[in-house]
Amino acid sequence: MQLLLLSNSRSPDGSYLTHAVAPLRALAGERRRTLFVPFAAVTNSWDDYTANVANSLAALEWEFTGAHTVDADAAGLYELILVGGGNTFQLVAECRRRGWLQAIAERVRAGTPYAGWSAGANLACPTLCTTNDMPIVDPGGFDALGLVGFQINPHYNNALPPGHQGETRNERIAEFLAANTAATVVGLPEGDWLAGDGARMTFHGPHTGYVFRQGKAPEEVREGMAIG
């Protein structure tokens, strides 16, 4: 498999997918025919989402088709699969309902490169359970694609605003691990990403990430370090 799993799409300066262009180009090589999965979008249309991503990645000269415009049995027509961020529960619900969960998993395991950010990174995990999103729809089950053997928490940040009495991100992850003791969670800060073949993924980006396991202190990961 060839996977690229990004924490986020928007940079601190407001630019969209700018930090993703170089790793996306490296993933794709000469491939152009791209299936874009827009189902995580909730407050804007899937047509608009697909067009926005296509415009933002125009320098790559890819040919975009929105997954909402074709049936899942057409998955084999595409050389790349790109999954956008938004609400992970809606993404999984729509992929499941339309048959894309099975179709995407089969194509990626057969060698079609997969890239996703935020919810799209969560989709590559065994389950959606370490997303930051509200469960705005019933996803019909928490299982996702299972392309990697660990969970990702995108947009990872353990900061606690002054006076805030809610849980930190680390505490939320600790709750997940207390209920899922065999799991591993990668805290992936904004601007960072993971790349690899699923069995071995490498951490990239300017910030320090963390690997969480039940009963152990969080383990720091930095540029070039292997996960999994």
Side-chain angles (χ1 to χ4, degrees):
M1 294 189 292
Q2 301 175 70
L3 308 177
L4 174 64
L5 309 176
L6 301 110
S7 178
N8 63 303
S9 58
R10 198 169 295 280
S11 299
D13 63 2
S15 59
Y16 189 61
L17 292 173
T18 52
H19 69 292
V21 171
L24 285 170
R25 180 179 284 115
L27 177 76
E30 298 300 316
R31 300 174 183 88
R32 295 289 180 266
R33 294 194 305 276
T34 303
L35 179 76
F36 178 65
V37 181
F39 301 133
V42 178
T43 56
N44 60 318
S45 75
W46 296 335
D47 283 337
D48 288 347
Y49 194 10
T50 304
N52 186 32
V53 172
N55 290 336
S56 298
L57 298 178
L60 297 176
E61 299 181 335
W62 291 356
E63 303 168 8
F64 281 82
T65 299
H68 60 297
T69 68
V70 293
D71 293 332
D73 58 10
L77 300 176
Y78 302 98
E79 299 174 299
L80 298 162
I81 296 173
L82 185 64
V83 184
N87 186 279
T88 310
F89 289 89
Q90 175 161 291
L91 172 62
V92 172
E94 289 293 334
C95 282
R96 191 186 311 281
R97 183 173 72 84
R98 296 164 182 262
W100 281 112
L101 279 183
Q102 180 177 348
I104 291 173
E106 289 176 353
R107 294 311 306 160
V108 175
R109 289 191 171 95
T112 301
Y114 176 102
W117 58 86
S118 191
N122 282 131
L123 189 68
C125 298
T127 76
L128 59 73
C129 293
T130 50
T131 180
N132 302 306
D133 301 326
M134 288 186 176
I136 62 171
V137 297
D138 181 353
F142 292 154
D143 56 299
L145 296 176
L147 303 177
V148 293
F150 52 82
Q151 294 291 133
I152 294 172
N153 179 243
H155 306 277
Y156 172 78
N157 187 328
N158 196 46
L160 190 67
H164 182 73
Q165 301 304 315
E167 291 84 352
T168 64
R169 192 73 59 85
N170 283 18
E171 289 170 336
R172 291 294 194 194
I173 293 172
E175 290 177 342
F176 171 80
L177 290 172
N180 302 271
T181 56
T184 296
V185 181
V186 177
L188 193 62
E190 292 187 349
D192 292 341
W193 64 91
L194 305 173
D197 63 5
R200 186 181 188 277
M201 301 293 289
T202 304
F203 184 93
H204 298 279
H207 307 294
T208 300
Y210 293 88
V211 176
F212 298 86
R213 296 182 176 90
Q214 172 67 1
K216 298 183 179 180
E219 175 187 344
E220 293 187 355
V221 285
R222 299 183 178 86
E223 171 66 35
M225 294 180 66
I227 296 173

